[in-house]
Amino acid sequence: MAETLASAPGASREERYVELSNRWEALLRGEPNRTANLANVAAVLKEEFGWHWVGFYLVDEGRDELVLGPFQGPLACTRLHHGKGVCAAAWDTGVAQVVPDVHAFDGHVACSALTESELVIPIVAADEVVGVLDIDSTIRDDVSAADVRALAPLVKLLGNNWNAWE
Ligand code: SME
């Protein structure tokens, strides 16, 4: 595992994505535990970009709900349901959700009153959505399709490894 993943202090978001893109495989290599790997991914994203909340919601097949997974940031809702909120929209549609203003998203689940914008990307393993990566910012308009594009290789890597992890 890499000792440090931090980019230079003044690096732009684009530069940070490029820096990290070369390091995800090394971060995940050799560790078969899903929780451990998702926890480190959340930590790296939070450290690198300073977002308000970064974490995962995992599909709980037995209950047909999303349940809180590894995350970094303030206390969060533990369970999310079909048809309500940004995470559920990504789960239900399999399509990344870019929400520049959470107040304009009908049904947004406000786990933190400080969140202004949000990005949720579904994680697909064996053609099924198995969870989502959720990123919250306290700044309005702080997420865009460029973030989805930059994070896509990471999310694909997670999906490819998902079912092999314990
Ligand atoms: N806002 C999300 C809920 C999860 S929190 O942001 C951590 C939603 O609308 O699904």
Coordinates of all heavy atoms in Angstrom, one line a residue, residues 13-63:
R13 N -8.2 20.5 -8.6 CA -9.0 19.2 -8.5 C -8.6 18.3 -9.7 O -8.4 17.1 -9.5 CB -10.5 19.6 -8.6 CG -11.3 18.3 -8.4 CD -12.8 18.6 -8.4 NE -13.2 19.4 -7.2 CZ -14.5 19.6 -6.9 NH1 -15.4 19.1 -7.6 NH2 -14.8 20.4 -5.9
E14 N -8.4 18.9 -10.8 CA -8.0 18.0 -12.0 C -6.7 17.3 -11.7 O -6.5 16.2 -12.0 CB -7.9 18.9 -13.3 CG -9.2 19.4 -13.8 CD -9.9 20.5 -12.9 OE1 -9.1 21.2 -12.1 OE2 -11.1 20.6 -12.9
E15 N -5.7 18.1 -11.2 CA -4.4 17.5 -10.9 C -4.5 16.4 -9.9 O -3.8 15.4 -9.9 CB -3.4 18.6 -10.4 CG -3.0 19.6 -11.5 CD -2.3 20.8 -11.0 OE1 -2.5 21.2 -9.9 OE2 -1.6 21.5 -11.8
R16 N -5.4 16.6 -8.9 CA -5.6 15.6 -7.9 C -6.1 14.3 -8.5 O -5.7 13.2 -8.1 CB -6.5 16.1 -6.7 CG -5.8 17.2 -5.9 CD -6.7 17.8 -4.9 NE -6.1 19.1 -4.4 CZ -5.2 19.1 -3.4 NH1 -5.0 18.0 -2.7 NH2 -4.7 20.2 -3.0
Y17 N -7.1 14.5 -9.4 CA -7.7 13.3 -10.0 C -6.6 12.5 -10.8 O -6.6 11.3 -10.7 CB -8.8 13.7 -10.9 CG -10.1 13.9 -10.3 CD1 -10.9 15.1 -10.6 CD2 -10.7 13.0 -9.4 CE1 -12.1 15.3 -10.0 CE2 -11.9 13.2 -8.8 CZ -12.6 14.4 -9.1 OH -13.8 14.6 -8.5
V18 N -5.8 13.3 -11.5 CA -4.7 12.6 -12.3 C -3.8 11.9 -11.3 O -3.4 10.7 -11.6 CB -4.0 13.6 -13.1 CG1 -2.7 13.0 -13.8 CG2 -4.9 14.2 -14.2
E19 N -3.4 12.6 -10.3 CA -2.4 12.0 -9.3 C -3.0 10.7 -8.7 O -2.4 9.6 -8.6 CB -2.2 13.0 -8.2 CG -1.3 12.5 -7.1 CD 0.2 12.3 -7.5 OE1 0.6 12.8 -8.6 OE2 0.9 11.6 -6.8
L20 N -4.3 10.8 -8.3 CA -4.9 9.6 -7.7 C -5.2 8.5 -8.7 O -5.1 7.3 -8.3 CB -6.3 10.0 -7.1 CG -6.2 10.9 -5.8 CD1 -7.6 11.2 -5.3 CD2 -5.4 10.1 -4.7
S21 N -5.4 8.8 -10.0 CA -5.8 7.8 -10.9 C -4.7 6.7 -11.0 O -4.9 5.6 -11.3 CB -6.1 8.4 -12.3 OG -4.9 8.9 -12.8
N22 N -3.4 7.1 -10.8 CA -2.3 6.2 -10.8 C -2.1 5.4 -9.6 O -1.3 4.5 -9.5 CB -1.0 7.0 -11.1 CG -1.1 7.8 -12.3 OD1 -1.6 7.3 -13.4 ND2 -0.6 9.0 -12.3
R23 N -2.9 5.7 -8.6 CA -2.7 5.1 -7.3 C -3.8 4.2 -6.7 O -3.5 3.5 -5.7 CB -2.4 6.2 -6.2 CG -1.3 7.1 -6.6 CD -0.8 7.9 -5.5 NE 0.3 8.8 -5.9 CZ 1.2 9.2 -5.0 NH1 1.1 8.8 -3.8 NH2 2.1 10.1 -5.4
W24 N -4.9 4.2 -7.3 CA -6.0 3.4 -6.8 C -5.7 1.9 -6.8 O -6.0 1.2 -5.8 CB -7.3 3.6 -7.6 CG -7.9 5.0 -7.4 CD1 -8.2 5.9 -8.4 CD2 -8.3 5.6 -6.2 NE1 -8.7 7.1 -7.8 CE2 -8.8 6.9 -6.5 CE3 -8.3 5.3 -4.8 CZ2 -9.3 7.8 -5.5 CZ3 -8.7 6.2 -3.9 CH2 -9.2 7.4 -4.2
E25 N -5.1 1.4 -7.9 CA -4.8 0.0 -7.9 C -3.9 -0.4 -6.8 O -4.1 -1.4 -6.2 CB -4.2 -0.3 -9.3 CG -5.1 -0.1 -10.5 CD -5.4 -1.3 -11.4 OE1 -4.9 -2.4 -11.0 OE2 -6.0 -1.1 -12.4
A26 N -2.9 0.4 -6.6 CA -1.9 0.1 -5.5 C -2.6 0.1 -4.2 O -2.3 -0.7 -3.3 CB -0.7 1.1 -5.6
L27 N -3.5 1.1 -4.0 CA -4.2 1.2 -2.7 C -5.0 -0.1 -2.4 O -5.0 -0.5 -1.2 CB -5.1 2.4 -2.7 CG -5.9 2.6 -1.4 CD1 -5.0 3.1 -0.3 CD2 -7.1 3.5 -1.6
L28 N -5.6 -0.6 -3.4 CA -6.5 -1.8 -3.2 C -5.8 -3.1 -3.3 O -6.4 -4.1 -2.9 CB -7.7 -1.7 -4.2 CG -8.5 -0.4 -4.2 CD1 -9.5 -0.3 -5.3 CD2 -9.2 -0.2 -2.9
R29 N -4.6 -3.1 -3.9 CA -4.0 -4.4 -4.2 C -3.6 -5.2 -2.9 O -3.2 -4.6 -1.9 CB -2.7 -4.1 -5.0 CG -2.0 -5.4 -5.5 CD -0.8 -5.0 -6.3 NE -1.1 -4.1 -7.4 CZ -0.3 -3.0 -7.7 NH1 0.7 -2.7 -7.0 NH2 -0.7 -2.2 -8.7
G30 N -4.0 -6.4 -2.9 CA -3.5 -7.3 -1.8 C -4.5 -7.3 -0.6 O -4.3 -8.1 0.3
E31 N -5.5 -6.5 -0.6 CA -6.4 -6.5 0.6 C -7.8 -7.1 0.1 O -8.4 -6.5 -0.7 CB -6.6 -5.1 1.2 CG -7.6 -5.0 2.3 CD -7.4 -6.1 3.3 OE1 -6.4 -6.1 4.0 OE2 -8.3 -7.0 3.5
P32 N -8.1 -8.2 0.6 CA -9.4 -8.9 0.2 C -10.6 -8.4 0.9 O -11.7 -8.9 0.6 CB -9.1 -10.3 0.4 CG -8.2 -10.3 1.6 CD -7.4 -9.1 1.5
N33 N -10.5 -7.5 1.9 CA -11.7 -7.2 2.7 C -12.3 -5.9 2.1 O -11.7 -4.9 2.0 CB -11.3 -6.9 4.1 CG -12.5 -6.7 5.0 OD1 -13.0 -5.6 5.1 ND2 -13.1 -7.7 5.6
R34 N -13.6 -6.0 1.7 CA -14.3 -4.9 1.1 C -14.4 -3.7 2.0 O -14.2 -2.6 1.6 CB -15.7 -5.4 0.7 CG -16.5 -4.4 -0.1 CD -17.9 -4.9 -0.5 NE -17.8 -6.1 -1.2 CZ -18.7 -7.1 -1.1 NH1 -19.7 -7.0 -0.2 NH2 -18.6 -8.2 -1.8
T35 N -14.8 -4.0 3.2 CA -14.9 -2.8 4.2 C -13.6 -2.0 4.3 O -13.6 -0.8 4.3 CB -15.4 -3.3 5.6 OG1 -16.6 -4.1 5.4 CG2 -15.6 -2.2 6.5
A36 N -12.5 -2.8 4.4 CA -11.2 -2.1 4.6 C -10.9 -1.3 3.4 O -10.5 -0.1 3.5 CB -10.2 -3.2 4.8
N37 N -11.2 -1.8 2.2 CA -10.9 -1.1 1.0 C -11.8 0.1 0.8 O -11.3 1.2 0.4 CB -11.0 -2.0 -0.2 CG -9.8 -3.0 -0.3 OD1 -8.7 -2.6 0.1 ND2 -10.1 -4.2 -0.7
L38 N -13.1 0.0 1.0 CA -14.0 1.1 0.9 C -13.6 2.2 1.9 O -13.7 3.4 1.6 CB -15.4 0.7 1.0 CG -15.9 -0.3 0.0 CD1 -17.4 -0.6 0.2 CD2 -15.7 0.2 -1.5
A39 N -13.3 1.8 3.1 CA -12.9 2.8 4.1 C -11.7 3.6 3.7 O -11.7 4.8 3.8 CB -12.6 2.0 5.4
N40 N -10.7 3.0 3.1 CA -9.5 3.7 2.7 C -9.9 4.6 1.5 O -9.3 5.7 1.4 CB -8.4 2.8 2.3 CG -7.5 2.6 3.5 OD1 -7.5 3.4 4.4 ND2 -6.7 1.5 3.5
V41 N -10.7 4.1 0.6 CA -11.1 5.0 -0.6 C -11.8 6.2 -0.1 O -11.5 7.4 -0.5 CB -12.0 4.2 -1.6 CG1 -12.6 5.2 -2.6 CG2 -11.2 3.1 -2.3
A42 N -12.7 6.1 0.9 CA -13.4 7.2 1.4 C -12.5 8.2 2.1 O -12.6 9.4 2.0 CB -14.5 6.8 2.4
A43 N -11.5 7.6 2.8 CA -10.5 8.5 3.5 C -9.7 9.3 2.5 O -9.5 10.5 2.7 CB -9.6 7.6 4.4
V44 N -9.2 8.6 1.5 CA -8.4 9.3 0.5 C -9.2 10.4 -0.2 O -8.7 11.5 -0.3 CB -7.8 8.3 -0.5 CG1 -7.2 9.0 -1.7 CG2 -6.8 7.4 0.1
L45 N -10.4 10.1 -0.6 CA -11.2 11.2 -1.3 C -11.5 12.4 -0.4 O -11.4 13.5 -0.8 CB -12.5 10.6 -1.8 CG -12.3 9.6 -3.0 CD1 -13.7 8.9 -3.3 CD2 -11.8 10.3 -4.2
K46 N -11.8 12.1 0.9 CA -12.1 13.1 1.8 C -10.8 14.0 2.1 O -10.9 15.2 2.1 CB -12.6 12.5 3.2 CG -12.9 13.5 4.3 CD -14.3 14.1 4.1 CE -14.8 14.7 5.4 NZ -14.1 15.9 5.8
E47 N -9.7 13.3 2.3 CA -8.4 14.0 2.5 C -8.0 14.9 1.4 O -7.6 16.0 1.5 CB -7.3 13.0 2.8 CG -7.4 12.4 4.1 CD -6.9 13.3 5.2 OE1 -5.7 13.8 5.1 OE2 -7.6 13.5 6.2
E48 N -8.2 14.3 0.2 CA -7.6 14.9 -1.0 C -8.5 16.1 -1.5 O -7.9 17.1 -1.9 CB -7.6 13.8 -2.1 CG -6.8 14.1 -3.3 CD -5.3 14.3 -3.0 OE1 -4.7 13.4 -2.3 OE2 -4.7 15.2 -3.4
F49 N -9.8 16.0 -1.3 CA -10.7 17.0 -1.9 C -11.4 17.9 -0.9 O -12.0 18.9 -1.2 CB -11.7 16.4 -2.8 CG -11.1 15.7 -4.0 CD1 -10.9 14.3 -4.1 CD2 -10.6 16.5 -5.1 CE1 -10.3 13.7 -5.1 CE2 -10.0 15.8 -6.2 CZ -9.8 14.4 -6.2
G50 N -11.3 17.4 0.4 CA -11.9 18.2 1.5 C -13.4 18.3 1.4 O -14.0 19.3 2.0
W51 N -14.1 17.3 0.8 CA -15.5 17.4 0.7 C -16.1 17.2 2.1 O -15.5 16.7 3.0 CB -16.0 16.3 -0.2 CG -15.9 16.6 -1.7 CD1 -16.3 17.8 -2.3 CD2 -15.3 15.8 -2.7 NE1 -16.1 17.7 -3.6 CE2 -15.4 16.6 -3.9 CE3 -14.7 14.6 -2.7 CZ2 -15.0 16.1 -5.1 CZ3 -14.2 14.1 -3.9 CH2 -14.3 14.9 -5.1
H52 N -17.4 17.6 2.2 CA -18.1 17.5 3.5 C -18.3 16.1 4.0 O -18.1 15.7 5.2 CB -19.4 18.2 3.4 CG -20.3 18.3 4.6 ND1 -19.8 18.8 5.8 CD2 -21.5 17.9 4.8 CE1 -20.8 18.7 6.7 NE2 -21.8 18.1 6.1
W53 N -18.6 15.2 3.1 CA -18.9 13.8 3.4 C -18.6 13.0 2.2 O -19.0 13.3 1.1 CB -20.4 13.7 3.7 CG -20.8 12.4 4.4 CD1 -21.0 12.2 5.8 CD2 -21.2 11.2 3.8 NE1 -21.4 10.9 6.0 CE2 -21.5 10.3 4.8 CE3 -21.3 10.7 2.5 CZ2 -21.9 9.0 4.6 CZ3 -21.7 9.4 2.2 CH2 -22.0 8.6 3.3
V54 N -17.9 11.9 2.4 CA -17.6 11.0 1.3 C -17.9 9.6 1.9 O -17.3 9.2 2.9 CB -16.1 11.0 0.9 CG1 -15.9 10.0 -0.2 CG2 -15.8 12.4 0.4
G55 N -18.6 8.8 1.2 CA -18.8 7.4 1.7 C -19.6 6.6 0.7 O -19.9 6.9 -0.4
F56 N -20.0 5.4 1.2 CA -20.7 4.4 0.5 C -22.0 4.0 1.1 O -22.1 3.9 2.3 CB -19.8 3.2 0.3 CG -18.5 3.4 -0.4 CD1 -17.4 3.9 0.2 CD2 -18.5 3.3 -1.8 CE1 -16.2 4.2 -0.5 CE2 -17.3 3.6 -2.5 CZ -16.2 4.0 -1.9
Y57 N -23.0 3.8 0.3 CA -24.2 3.1 0.7 C -24.2 1.8 -0.1 O -23.9 1.7 -1.3 CB -25.4 3.9 0.4 CG -25.7 5.0 1.5 CD1 -25.2 6.2 1.3 CD2 -26.4 4.7 2.6 CE1 -25.3 7.2 2.3 CE2 -26.6 5.7 3.6 CZ -26.1 6.9 3.4 OH -26.2 7.9 4.4
L58 N -24.5 0.7 0.6 CA -24.4 -0.7 0.1 C -25.8 -1.3 -0.1 O -26.7 -1.1 0.9 CB -23.6 -1.5 1.0 CG -22.2 -0.9 1.5 CD1 -21.5 -1.9 2.4 CD2 -21.4 -0.5 0.3
V59 N -26.1 -2.0 -1.1 CA -27.4 -2.6 -1.3 C -27.5 -3.7 -0.3 O -26.7 -4.6 -0.2 CB -27.6 -3.1 -2.7 CG1 -28.9 -3.9 -2.8 CG2 -27.5 -2.0 -3.7
D60 N -28.5 -3.6 0.5 CA -28.9 -4.7 1.5 C -30.0 -5.5 0.8 O -31.1 -5.1 0.8 CB -29.3 -4.1 2.8 CG -29.8 -5.1 3.8 OD1 -30.0 -6.3 3.5 OD2 -29.8 -4.7 5.0
E61 N -29.6 -6.6 0.2 CA -30.5 -7.4 -0.6 C -31.7 -7.9 0.2 O -32.8 -7.9 -0.2 CB -29.8 -8.5 -1.3 CG -29.0 -8.0 -2.5 CD -28.4 -9.2 -3.3 OE1 -28.7 -10.3 -3.0 OE2 -27.6 -8.9 -4.2
G62 N -31.4 -8.3 1.4 CA -32.4 -8.9 2.3 C -33.6 -8.0 2.6 O -34.7 -8.3 2.6
R63 N -33.2 -6.7 2.8 CA -34.2 -5.7 3.1 C -34.6 -4.8 2.0 O -35.5 -4.0 2.1 CB -33.7 -4.8 4.2 CG -33.5 -5.5 5.6 CD -32.8 -4.5 6.5 NE -32.6 -5.1 7.9 CZ -33.4 -4.8 8.9 NH1 -34.4 -3.9 8.8 NH2 -33.1 -5.3 10.1

